[in-house]
């Protein structure tokens, strides 16, 4: 079997060119006589890799000079603790709850201080983004936290909340580099890279310099201090070298595609193909309110769990894999990250049309 169209939410599809290039360099990285996996993180050749990766990311996202870029381990979930341990000086933080990842982050922060839930979409199964134009931000809050793209529920903040002068902290794991961002709007942006950028096990943190300090909560481990990693250019200890190398290749690939403006255009086009079909389908329904829809994660249902399961099975046999919805919500979910080609989305819609014809709801026949 050749390569499939992989709609996994993460770890997820990577650009084929990147994988091919990495394969070519596997045994001998650019004349070094060794794989990137085998080389010292203190070597000149690796220094070039991490330096170029950071420079390319800065260029892609137009990151201002007074922000640090950190390549860290522990995935996105370790940030749920690192953020409060480093930033909760008053031991108060405001959280916007738009799904399970935000909820988990809030629960973790609750171990270190008082967490105020200042907006939530739990009342309708996280199927929309709540109005955040006039949030009851707490006077003594150290920051305002949101999960910008909700991987499980398929919602996205299309307009950032107004944090009323507090630093805005965003988990962008599943929308990282999918469209241009104004970094200056945030105090800290972070994302686990396995959704849209690279191999699992690394998180990229972009943090405004004035938020980095020695003054962290008592007991914060050395490895969990932003200052330690910032002072050491992410080389305090052995970093996830191979992940950094692959992410660097993805940054290069994104630049070749025309950067984030071009990605946004392409991602909008891909998402439109799928949503337009879903909105008129007699069998499949999208689950998210139109104004809150994600460009990256598209959940949908037939309303019948057996039909859902049959669809997922038959799609897989047709080379369209990992379409099963998150275990907590059921139905289907197509994750159509940067590296998913338009042809993949077209193939999915074409398969859905065929499936729909064969399994149209009985209402059509009861006329
Ligand atoms: C997947 C995901 C996480 C968790 O990432 P890990 O790297 O597994 O810790 C957190 N937030 C969002 C939005 C995610 O999609």
């Amino acid at each position: 079997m050749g390569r499939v169209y992989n709609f996994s939410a993460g770890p997820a599809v990577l650009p084929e060119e990147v994988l091919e290039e990495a394969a070519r360099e596997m045994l001998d990285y650019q004349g070094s006589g060794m794989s990137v996996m085998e080389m010292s993180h203190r070597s000149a050749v690796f220094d070039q890799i991490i330096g170029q990766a950071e420079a390319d990311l800065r260029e892609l996202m137009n990151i201002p000079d007074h922000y640090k870029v950190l390549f860290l381990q522990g995935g996105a979930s370790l940030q749920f603790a690192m953020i409060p341990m480093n930033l909760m000086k008053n031991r108060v933080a405001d959280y916007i709850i738009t799904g399970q990842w935000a909820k988990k982050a809030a629960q973790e922060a609750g171990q270190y201080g008082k967490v105020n839930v200042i907006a939530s979409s739990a009342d309708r199964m996280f199927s929309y983004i709540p109005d955040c134009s006039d949030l009851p931000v707490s006077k003594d809050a150290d920051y305002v936290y949101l999960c910008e793209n909700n991987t499980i529920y398929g919602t996205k903040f299309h307009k950032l909340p107004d944090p009323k002068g507090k630093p805005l902290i965003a988990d962008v794991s599943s929308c990282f580099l999918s469209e241009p961002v104004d970094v200056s709007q945030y105090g800290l942006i972070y994302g686990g890279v396995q959704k849209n950028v690279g191999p699992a096990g690394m998180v990229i943190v972009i943090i405004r310099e004035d938020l980095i300090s020695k003054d962290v909560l008592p007991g914060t481990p050395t490895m969990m201090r932003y200052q330690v990693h910032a002072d050491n250019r992410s080389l305090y200890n052995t970093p996830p070298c191979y992940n950094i190398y692959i992410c660097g290749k993805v940054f290069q690939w994104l630049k070749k595609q025309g950067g984030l403006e071009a990605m946004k255009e392409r991602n909008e086009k891909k998402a439109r193909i799928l949503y337009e079909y879903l909105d008129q389908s007699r069998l499949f329904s999208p689950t998210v309110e139109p104004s809150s829809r994600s460009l990256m994660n598209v959940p949908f249902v037939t309303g019948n769990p057996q039909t859902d399961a049959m669809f997922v099975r038959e799609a897989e046999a047709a080379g369209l894999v990992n379409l099963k919805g998150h275990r907590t919500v059921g139905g289907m979910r197509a994750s159509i990250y940067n590296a998913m080609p338009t042809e993949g989305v077209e193939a999915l819609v074409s398969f859905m049309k065929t499936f729909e014809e064969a399994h149209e709801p009985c209402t059509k026949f009861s006329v």
Side-chain angles (χ1 to χ4, degrees):
M1 194 156 116
R3 283 184 54 86
V4 293
Y5 286 123
N6 179 8
F7 295 93
S8 168
V13 57
L14 286 170
E16 217 162 283
E17 293 97 308
V18 166
L19 297 175
E20 276 164 0
E21 208 175 282
R24 281 198 299 276
E25 293 175 345
M26 183 59 77
L27 298 184
D28 177 8
Y29 175 74
Q30 296 188 1
S32 66
M34 62 181 87
S35 162
V36 173
M37 272 184 247
E38 302 170 297
M39 63 181 55
S40 166
H41 59 296
R42 308 279 176 209
S43 63
V45 53
F46 185 75
D47 203 63
Q48 206 277 330
I49 291 173
I50 191 170
Q52 189 67 49
E54 178 173 343
D56 287 337
L57 182 65
R58 283 186 175 277
E59 185 183 328
L60 277 168
M61 292 179 74
N62 202 7
I63 301 174
D65 289 342
H66 62 295
Y67 283 77
K68 292 281 191 204
V69 173
L70 310 175
F71 300 105
L72 307 178
Q73 301 180 51
S77 298
L78 194 63
Q79 292 307 308
F80 298 170
M82 253 175 107
I83 288 162
M85 290 179 110
N86 284 269
L87 305 182
M88 241 191 195
K89 318 273 184 211
N90 297 330
R91 303 235 184 199
V92 180
D94 289 352
Y95 278 70
I96 300 168
I97 307 296
T98 49
Q100 288 199 29
W101 294 119
K103 206 155 111 186
K104 281 191 175 165
Q107 272 163 2
E108 190 76 4
Q111 299 199 78
Y112 304 100
K114 183 167 174 345
V115 166
N116 301 308
V117 175
I118 55 168
S120 166
S121 54
D123 60 335
R124 277 185 276 139
M125 266 300 278
F126 301 118
S127 61
Y128 69 103
I129 295 294
D131 177 11
C132 293
S133 53
D134 185 18
L135 293 169
V137 175
S138 316
K139 271 202 174 54
D140 51 352
D142 291 300
Y143 57 84
V144 173
Y145 182 102
L146 80 157
C147 178
E148 205 164 316
N149 186 80
N150 296 279
T151 325
I152 296 173
Y153 300 96
T155 60
K156 161 103 206 287
F157 282 83
H158 293 295
K159 187 174 178 297
L160 285 179
D162 175 4
K164 301 193 172 164
K166 306 292 184 192
L168 190 62
I169 311 292
D171 176 354
V172 299
S173 296
S174 48
C175 59
F176 217 174
L177 302 174
S178 63
E179 55 185 276
V181 315
D182 178 1
V183 174
S184 70
Q185 300 285 306
Y186 304 82
L188 185 157
I189 303 178
Y190 76 97
V193 301
Q194 76 274 25
K195 306 290 160 67
N196 209 12
V197 192
M202 186 166 90
V203 61
I204 296 176
V205 174
I206 301 162
I207 178 170
R208 213 173 63 209
E209 270 170 3
D210 63 281
L211 294 173
I212 304 174
S213 83
K214 279 194 180 55
D215 176 25
V216 295
L217 297 191
T220 302
T222 308
M223 275 292 286
M224 289 177 68
R225 298 171 188 227
Y226 291 128
Q227 192 224 353
V228 167
H229 295 289
D231 286 353
N232 291 281
R233 295 175 45 243
S234 306
L235 291 160
Y236 168 71
N237 72 328
T238 319
C241 300
Y242 201 78
N243 299 46
I244 292 169
Y245 157 76
I246 296 289
C247 288
K249 286 209 179 300
V250 172
F251 301 155
Q252 289 269 326
W253 178 82
L254 288 167
K255 281 171 65 176
K256 245 185 279 166
Q257 307 304 305
L260 301 191
E261 283 291 351
M263 290 320 294
K264 178 179 190 205
E265 217 169 282
R266 189 197 291 188
N267 288 328
E268 281 175 345
K269 181 177 165 214
K270 279 169 8 191
R272 199 177 315 124
I273 294 170
L274 189 46
Y275 285 120
E276 272 178 9
Y277 166 69
L278 286 170
D279 280 334
Q280 58 75 55
S281 170
R282 296 155 152 279
L283 181 64
F284 300 101
S285 325
T287 58
V288 173
E289 202 171 83
S291 63
S292 303
R293 288 174 179 175
S294 166
L295 295 181
M296 298 281 100
N297 311 99
V298 183
F300 54 95
V301 295
T302 66
N304 177 340
Q306 270 139 8
T307 311
D308 288 351
M310 192 194 309
F311 173 79
V312 169
R313 225 173 27 243
E314 291 184 14
E316 181 163 335
L320 306 161
V321 312
N322 290 321
L323 283 162
K324 195 168 185 295
H326 190 266
R327 58 197 152 80
T328 59
V329 289
M332 280 72 70
R333 171 179 49 174
S335 295
I336 50 176
Y337 296 121
N338 282 343
M340 172 59 66
T342 308
E343 299 81 63
V345 179
E346 285 166 349
L348 172 62
V349 168
S350 157
F351 179 81
M352 288 170 80
K353 283 179 180 162
T354 310
F355 186 90
E356 178 172 344
E357 274 161 31
H359 302 272
E360 259 175 303
C362 321
T363 49
K364 190 180 172 191
F365 303 103
S366 64
V367 179

